[in-house]
Amino acid sequence: MPRRILRLALPVGFSILMWQISALLLGPRLLPGPLAVALDFFSCLGDRAFLKDFSASALRAGAGIALALAIPFPLGLAMGASRRLDALLSPIVFLTYPIPKVLLLPILLVLLGMGEAPKILLVAVTVGYQVLVVTRDSVLSLDPRFLDSFQSLWPRGREAHSKSFRRLMLVWHVLGPAALPSAATSVRLASGTAVAVLFMAESFATQRGLGYVIIDAWGLMDLPRMFSGILAMGLLGAFFYSLANLAERRLVPGGNA
Amino acid sequence: MPGAQIEARGLAKSFQAPVLEDVSFQVRPGRSLALVGPSGCGKTTILHILAGLISGDSGQVELSPKEAGRSLVMQDHGLFPWKNAARNLELPLILAGLAPGERKGRVAAMLQSMGLAGLERRYPSQMSGGQRQRLALGRALIGRPDLLILDEPFSAIDAITRETLQELLVSLWKGLGLTIVLATHSIDEAIFLGDQVLVLGGRPTRILSSLDNPVAGLDRDQNLPAIMELAARVRQALAARV
């Protein structure tokens, strides 16, 4: 345990030290020191308005990520399981995949207005594309012995079951759990990008959220507050990263290979 | 379970090249057939045809009774790593449409009879090779099949565990009256487990020899001369083609 603490404390301590040296060199008007930011951050934790901003961002990121799993994960499974659906959707997915999703923000704002929907949807699209592609690929690259094994478990009279029931069972018992770890990994990897696009979405067209806090503090040259906002957004990303990690271990404790 | 009768006639199968050619055999209910031959000779293909996973290019397999249940234990056990022991055992029962109450009872009983009681929550990755093989065997038997098909079931297991599992299989075979078809590349295993030993070889694979084995499942030490004589005949049949 002390070793683990040491392993964490060393790089964190080193970063703080570098930060402090840079702050001394640049001066507090360009870069506030870690202590000033820490004091501001702790005062923020007792500030109701800041907490509201934090929870607004957390809810948007959470809803976006939830949406990114709710639709793209089953769709990715379906594309992996059905050659016909894959042939239909793959070209569209792979043509649009390289487009930076943040470019959709103005379109979403025009279509959906200034409310919560465009912000949540932007996070959902950013994370969802990755979940979709990774899920589809992990179904397609599934070790065929699992498929053989599953086919061998049907009882005699298996012809009695409809094709769609058999496919549903395959997805539920084999393809879904086999693809879950990859989907969780893609959420984990996309969590940083999700928070980044959320910052973009919150930096205008709203007065709630950590993106707004950061941009507002920047405009007022309130640098400690700006850094507190950045720190809070970083923590938000780290939270979703850890949550995906935990979900992966909880949902598929035995692994998938 | 009376055990199924198998009548395979003229089986042939090609993938990129011909794999099997004119493979015919018969297994009577409650008897066991061991397919022995070098790795890659098409034993798995025959088993997959018997299990209904693939069909032959020509020839046919007739099971009697027609609705006989068949189960396959795959070479690498084919357990699902994301399901714990109990859930792996339960899956065939779910697919058979059994009610949850009955499933639970049968899973508990199977864990018990496979010597896996207390391990129901373990995942395959948390079990030893022998435990995994018991689990795979239990999963194949839980649907109460008439025909049990095993593909090199004990090849990746240490010698002592292998003997224990072979004896477990013999007791299940005799106790349940199952028909068994198994593939192995171990001559000793084929002789211990097969009433009839089918020696396969050649390219494409054909039956080189079919030997009746009166000592299958019997005490190895007491039947050593007969076992050695049979093993010599198997080796001769294999060597004739090499």
Side-chain angles (χ1 to χ4, degrees), chain B residues 116-193:
Chain B
L116 295 170
L119 301 181
E120 51 267 43
R121 286 173 182 274
R122 292 260 182 103
Y123 287 85
S125 60
Q126 300 166 327
M127 302 173 97
S128 71
Q131 288 168 339
R132 279 200 285 267
Q133 212 48 257
R134 282 168 187 270
L135 184 59
L137 205 51
R139 192 178 68 171
L141 290 172
I142 202 162
R144 297 177 182 163
D146 307 291
L147 166 62
L148 180 64
I149 304 161
L150 304 115
D151 192 0
E152 298 192 9
F154 312 128
S155 58
I157 293 172
D158 66 273
I160 297 168
T161 313
R162 190 184 310 141
E163 278 196 13
T164 316
L165 286 174
Q166 286 169 347
E167 271 151 27
L168 171 72
L169 184 60
V170 167
S171 73
L172 288 167
W173 164 41
K174 304 242 155 134
L176 299 171
L178 292 164
T179 302
I180 288 183
V181 177
L182 88 148
T184 176
H185 54 237
S186 154
I187 295 172
D188 295 344
E189 187 166 270
I191 293 171
F192 186 59
L193 296 174

Side-chain angles (χ1 to χ4, degrees), chain B residues 37-224:
Chain B
S39 290
C41 77
K43 300 188 290 287
T44 298
T45 307
I46 296 175
L47 297 188
H48 282 196
I49 292 173
L50 286 181
L53 288 179
I54 55 172
S55 45
D57 297 338
S58 59
Q60 56 183 2
V61 174
E62 264 176 36
L63 284 189
S64 165
K66 267 196 164 47
E67 65 283 1
R70 45 192 163 174
S71 276
L72 170 70
V73 178
M74 299 179 75
Q75 200 166 9
D76 49 9
H77 57 69
L79 296 167
F80 297 115
W82 47 84
K83 287 184 181 286
N84 64 26
R87 298 247 180 248
N88 261 295
L89 282 179
E90 192 186 17
L91 187 54
L93 305 179
I94 293 175
L95 299 181
L98 261 66
E102 194 180 349
R103 295 201 302 254
K104 210 174 159 193
R106 278 178 56 178
V107 166
M110 188 52 80
L111 282 163
Q112 194 73 41
S113 61
M114 286 291 137
L116 295 170
L119 301 181
E120 51 267 43
R121 286 173 182 274
R122 292 260 182 103
Y123 287 85
S125 60
Q126 300 166 327
M127 302 173 97
S128 71
Q131 288 168 339
R132 279 200 285 267
Q133 212 48 257
R134 282 168 187 270
L135 184 59
L137 205 51
R139 192 178 68 171
L141 290 172
I142 202 162
R144 297 177 182 163
D146 307 291
L147 166 62
L148 180 64
I149 304 161
L150 304 115
D151 192 0
E152 298 192 9
F154 312 128
S155 58
I157 293 172
D158 66 273
I160 297 168
T161 313
R162 190 184 310 141
E163 278 196 13
T164 316
L165 286 174
Q166 286 169 347
E167 271 151 27
L168 171 72
L169 184 60
V170 167
S171 73
L172 288 167
W173 164 41
K174 304 242 155 134
L176 299 171
L178 292 164
T179 302
I180 288 183
V181 177
L182 88 148
T184 176
H185 54 237
S186 154
I187 295 172
D188 295 344
E189 187 166 270
I191 293 171
F192 186 59
L193 296 174
D195 272 331
Q196 192 186 345
V197 178
L198 226 52
V199 186
L200 300 169
R203 259 175 214 282
T205 295
R206 292 181 297 108
I207 295 173
L208 303 179
S209 182
S210 174
L211 306 167
D212 284 323
N213 173 15
V215 293
L218 300 181
D219 189 289
R220 290 183 234 229
D221 296 331
Q222 284 178 14
N223 294 283
L224 209 52

Side-chain angles (χ1 to χ4, degrees), chain A residues 157-206:
Chain A
R158 57 183 101 173
E159 295 78 11
H161 294 294
S162 72
K163 210 175 169 187
S164 52
F165 175 74
R166 290 172 63 184
R167 195 170 280 184
L168 185 72
M169 287 287 110
L170 177 70
V171 169
W172 183 256
H173 290 288
V174 181
L175 305 185
L180 254 182
S182 316
T185 304
S186 65
V187 168
R188 210 167 61 204
L189 296 177
S191 55
T193 327
V195 173
V197 296
L198 184 64
F199 167 72
M200 298 288 279
E202 286 180 345
S203 58
F204 58 94
T206 182

